[in-house]
Every structure is written in C-alpha cells, then in structure tokens.
Amino acid sequence: MDSTLDCLALAGLAVAAFVLLTGCANMVLMFLLWLLYLSLVNVGQIWWVLRWESQLLETGFLGIFLCPLWTLSRLPQGSPPSRIVIWSFRWLIFRIMLGAGLIKIRGDRCWRELTCMDYHYETQPVPSPISYFMHRSPWWFHRLETLVNHFIELLVPFFLLLGRSMSILHGLLQILFQVLLIISGNLSFLNWLTMVPSLACFDDASLGLLFSTRMKERVARLQLPGAQGQRLSLGSCVRRVLNISLGLLITYLSIPVVLNLLSSRQVMNTSFNPLRIVNTYGAFGSITKERTEIILQGTSSLDPKDPTAVWEEFEFKCKPGDLRRRPCLISPYHYRLDWLMWFAAFQTYEQNEWIIHLAGKLLAQEEEALSLLATNPFAGRDPPRWIRGEHFKYKFSQPGGKHAMDGKWWIRKRIGPYFPPVNLQGLRKFFEDRNWPYPVQH
C-alpha cells in the first residue's frame, strides 16, 4: 500500500512540476493528473474522502478542457477557452459557496442566532496563531463576521448572473474571503483551491494588469479577425466536440445536485457519481462549542495502575497538546493524522478503531508511525510498556492573563480516560481479529 501511494504521488508530482515550470499543458497531461489523483483518492478510501479531494477532482476535471488537445505551448493558437468551460467553473464556485451557506442556515442554530463565531476559532480542527487572537474579539465583531459570512455565501454567488461588473466583484469578494479563511485557520489547501474557479469570474481586460505588455500583444494578435478566421485544425475540432459533450455531461450530472440544494434535508460533500465530476459541497454546518483533545501517553511502568507510574505524552505535529506550544500555521499543507484526531475526540475509540491501531504501532516504536508525530518521549530508550488515551477539554488562554504570562497558549482540564492502558501483547487478538499486521517491536 505504501509503495502504491508513493508511486501515484511521485508520478503526479512529476507531471505537475513539468506543467508548473514550463507553463505548458494539454488535455492529455491534465487528464493524466486527474486520473492519478482519482486513483489516489480511491485507494485512500480506507479512511474516507474529504471534501477538498472531491473538489480537487472536479476542479482538475474542468481544467482538462481549458487546454489544447495535444499541443504543448504557453499560448497556443486556435485554442481559446470555451464559454462552456468558463461557465462550468462559475457553476462550481456557485455550488461551493451557496451549498456552504445553505447548510449553515439549515444546520446549527448558532448560525441563525449569529453566535457561531464565538466558538469557531477555538474549536476548528487546527487553529492558527491568528485564531488565538480572533477568538477574543468583542461579541459585536463576531456577530458582524457571521453576517458577512452569510452575505458572501448566500447572496454574492448570484452576482454571477448580473453581468460583467458584478461577476468581477464576485470574484474579488470570494478570493478576499478565502484569504481571510487561510489566515485564521489551517484548512489544508481547501481555501487555495476554492480561489481557482473564482478566476473564471474575470475576463482578459480585468486580468491584463497581471501580464507583461509583450504577452498582451501576442494575445491581441491571436484575437485579430484574420487569426480567428483560420481553418480549424483537427485538434480544435475534436476539442470543440469535447467541450459540447462536457456541457451536456455537467448539465445531466447537476440534476441531483440542484435537487439536493433545494432540499430541506440537504447533504454536504457528497458525490452522486463515482468519478466525482459534479459534487455537493458545504462546510461547518454544525459548530462544536467545546474543544476536546485526545492525548496519547506512554509509560515504562510494569503496572499501569501504579499511582507512581510516570506517563509521558506523545506530541503531534500541529494539533493542540503541549500547553506552551504556539498554534501552527501550515496551510496549504495538511497533517491528516492531526485532523483525524480532532474528529475522534468527539467520538469514542470504538468508533475510531484506527487509534488503537496507532497505539499498537507506537508501542512497537515503528518508524513509519513515529514519523507522523512531532516528539517521541521514548526516543533512544526502551519502548513503552503501556499506552493510554486521555481525554481533555482545551480552551485558549486569555491574552495578557496569568496563563498567557506563563507562556501558555492553552488551558486544559481532564475529562477522563479516552481508552484504557493497552500493551502490545494484549493487542495481539485485537489485530488478528481485524486481519491487521501485528506490530513488530523495535
């Protein structure tokens, strides 16, 4: 499994690096990138498919049709983007934002009461340093934030239907909104990805400032009547047929998506087709009001019930743990294990058996599992005899308060055990029952 994932990722990295460094792409290369990522997602369904993976697949699929069929040129002749593709991107950003807005209004009542932002910065999956200070904003500012969120997600999408100027305004507002989300939280590459379909809201005139005079002159020559009147090549004809087929496909696949948007039982982040070409989207339909964390602890004591046993904590790369560690800023990178730990913290370990699997690997001190962590308290020592999961409630410290003056970003209070102490021998049957490879102690 590891080698398969590595090969898929490295192949995609190589093709993407070529496109990025040369500025050249065609439909063949873009299709290959999309196919590689689709394969990666299908293999990764051992856990689940997150929203941004479906969104990246849909965005990447549409990107195929922005390119010439097989020509590799930074500015190919006879291959202007089809209006069908441009409007497909606009339809994508429309669904992303409207779906997110509707799921909020229909979901947690705090969105209707304008109080969700009182909790969001502290309880989001992986807070950033800015989240620490944003959480302490005055109550009226949090109400204003929620109103602006509803405006951006519920009203601004319809600007796309109101002509060129309003479409450009829509693009500017959506990109600015995503930048604010990037600063205030770590949501992987999701917000960066959401900017991509927003670019379809602009035209050549509005984007001209971003390009050199020489490049704009070349584009102008391509748009002259003589250039436009040239006989279409075979590739251009094939591309035109593919674009029309794309429009028909998007229209057909959008039917269940539109019905879902109109339904009072709207579901978010769902695909109605196996290729994930047209999907439903949404985010934070419900907001957790308290932050809970799972802290993994190990001990070398022979008896885990010994009150004198010293339990040492494993530190993750980004999720809250050490009270004095500053929240991280990693977007657009993503620590998937840290994210999974956030989900597991408001469920039980019976619902997340993978966490016991992780505990077994840490008991065996497997390098692959340890590489996902920031610190290993047993490095250079004998492996731990026991590992347990403790459940804590975390809160931001008050800026300028006594805990903050002591260097603490977080305050925590123990809730109780998350899972009981386990040792490697005791987990043997657990692993065998699930056909998991039994960890070999190092």
Side-chain angles (χ1 to χ4, degrees):
M1 180 62 70
D2 286 349
S3 59
T4 300
L5 293 173
D6 285 343
C7 289
L8 290 173
L10 289 172
L13 179 63
V15 177
F18 171 81
V19 173
L20 177 66
L21 296 176
T22 65
C24 302
N26 58 28
M27 297 183 79
V28 176
L29 287 180
M30 295 298 286
F31 175 77
L32 178 60
L33 281 173
W34 175 79
L35 186 62
L36 285 170
Y37 198 74
L38 178 64
S39 301
L40 194 64
V41 169
N42 288 337
V43 171
Q45 282 190 62
I46 297 169
W47 299 117
W48 63 60
V49 177
L50 296 173
R51 165 191 162 175
W52 44 82
E53 293 175 334
S54 292
Q55 187 174 326
L56 180 55
L57 282 170
E58 182 169 356
T59 305
F61 182 78
L62 295 178
I64 296 171
F65 298 86
L66 287 174
C67 305
L69 184 61
W70 45 63
T71 302
L72 282 176
S73 171
R74 296 184 63 189
L75 197 62
Q77 295 190 18
S79 301
S82 166
R83 289 184 179 273
I84 294 174
V85 183
I86 297 299
W87 276 101
S88 294
F89 274 109
R90 293 178 179 180
W91 174 229
L92 172 57
I93 188 62
F94 181 91
R95 284 182 286 115
I96 290 172
M97 302 312 297
L98 186 62
L102 289 175
I103 203 69
K104 291 180 176 67
I105 291 297
R106 292 165 174 165
D108 201 318
R109 62 184 296 177
C110 70
W111 288 113
R112 298 186 295 275
E113 296 172 350
L114 308 183
T115 59
C116 276
M117 299 308 292
D118 294 347
Y119 314 100
H120 169 72
Y121 293 114
E122 185 176 73
T123 62
Q124 64 180 310
V126 185
S128 73
I130 301 299
S131 308
Y132 176 82
F133 299 100
M134 294 292 289
H135 178 66
R136 298 299 180 183
S137 300
W139 68 269
W140 59 264
F141 184 77
H142 288 318
R143 304 298 180 274
L144 178 62
E145 285 181 302
T146 312
L147 282 173
V148 170
N149 182 92
H150 291 332
F151 172 71
I152 293 292
E153 293 184 340
L154 292 171
L155 295 180
V156 171
F158 292 95
F159 287 8
L160 287 169
L161 307 177
L162 302 179
R164 176 180 180 270
S165 297
M166 295 301 285
S167 179
I168 292 174
L169 178 60
H170 171 278
L172 290 171
L173 289 174
Q174 297 295 3
I175 290 175
L176 176 61
F177 184 59
Q178 298 306 317
V179 170
L180 293 174
L181 294 178
I182 289 169
I183 294 172
S184 63
N186 291 294
L187 297 175
S188 183
F189 55 81
L190 174 63
N191 306 118
W192 301 82
L193 178 62
T194 305
M195 293 184 193
V196 174
S198 299
L199 297 177
C201 302
F202 303 96
D203 56 14
D204 288 354
S206 59
L207 293 175
L209 295 175
L210 302 177
F211 297 92
S212 66
T213 302
R214 182 180 178 184
M215 179 64 72
K216 288 187 283 187
E217 289 175 352
R218 288 184 62 189
V219 172
R221 286 196 296 271
L222 288 175
Q223 294 176 336
L224 292 174
Q228 292 180 350
Q230 294 177 356
R231 183 179 178 181
L232 290 177
S233 64
L234 175 61
S236 296
C237 292
V238 172
R239 187 167 172 264
R240 182 168 294 185
V241 172
L242 291 175
N243 286 334
I244 295 173
S245 301
L246 171 68
L248 295 173
L249 179 65
I250 296 295
T251 301
Y252 173 73
L253 295 179
S254 294
I255 295 174
V257 174
V258 172
L259 294 176
N260 179 68
L261 282 173
L262 298 175
S263 172
S264 60
R265 297 183 178 181
Q266 176 192 0
V267 292
M268 64 180 188
N269 305 329
T270 300
S271 298
F272 295 101
N273 60 88
L275 298 181
R276 296 180 174 82
I277 294 174
V278 181
N279 311 295
T280 68
Y281 299 103
F284 296 107
S286 60
I287 295 290
T288 51
K289 309 304 188 294
E290 291 184 340
R291 180 176 201 92
T292 57
E293 291 288 346
I294 304 165
I295 304 298
L296 298 184
Q297 302 174 338
T299 183
S300 298
S301 174
L302 292 172
D303 183 5
K305 297 181 180 180
D306 185 349
T308 63
V310 177
W311 291 91
E312 300 176 81
E313 297 184 3
F314 292 89
E315 192 74 16
F316 286 73
K317 291 189 175 182
C318 202
K319 90 174 191 68
D322 182 356
L323 304 181
R324 288 183 169 82
R325 190 176 69 168
R326 186 189 67 181
C328 64
L329 183 61
I330 56 166
S331 177
Y333 195 70
H334 178 53
Y335 291 120
R336 180 175 290 250
L337 180 58
D338 294 51
W339 191 281
L340 290 173
M341 292 292 288
W342 177 77
F343 279 106
F346 46 83
Q347 298 173 330
T348 66
Y349 76 88
E350 290 91 349
Q351 295 170 294
N352 297 272
E353 292 184 341
W354 60 266
I355 201 168
I356 305 299
H357 185 267
L358 174 62
K361 288 181 173 290
L362 296 181
L363 283 165
Q365 294 285 277
E366 287 194 2
E367 291 185 6
E368 292 84 356
L370 291 170
S371 69
L372 302 176
L373 305 183
T375 61
N376 171 25
F378 297 90
R381 299 159 46 190
D382 290 335
R385 287 190 172 93
W386 300 87
I387 282 182
R388 70 183 183 184
E390 291 287 278
H391 212 185
F392 287 87
K393 181 168 71 173
Y394 271 64
K395 295 184 66 175
F396 277 136
S397 63
Q398 180 71 42
K402 66 175 184 177
H403 294 96
M405 296 296 288
D406 191 32
K408 294 180 179 178
W409 292 80
W410 297 96
I411 305 168
R412 76 181 186 185
K413 180 179 180 181
R414 184 176 182 272
I415 299 172
Y418 184 79
F419 65 83
V422 294
N423 63 10
L424 201 54
Q425 184 60 36
L427 288 178
R428 180 179 292 276
K429 188 174 188 306
F430 184 87
F431 275 70
E432 291 175 351
D433 289 345
R434 290 156 183 79
N435 294 319
W436 291 346
Y438 184 67
V440 178
Q441 197 167 54
H442 290 69

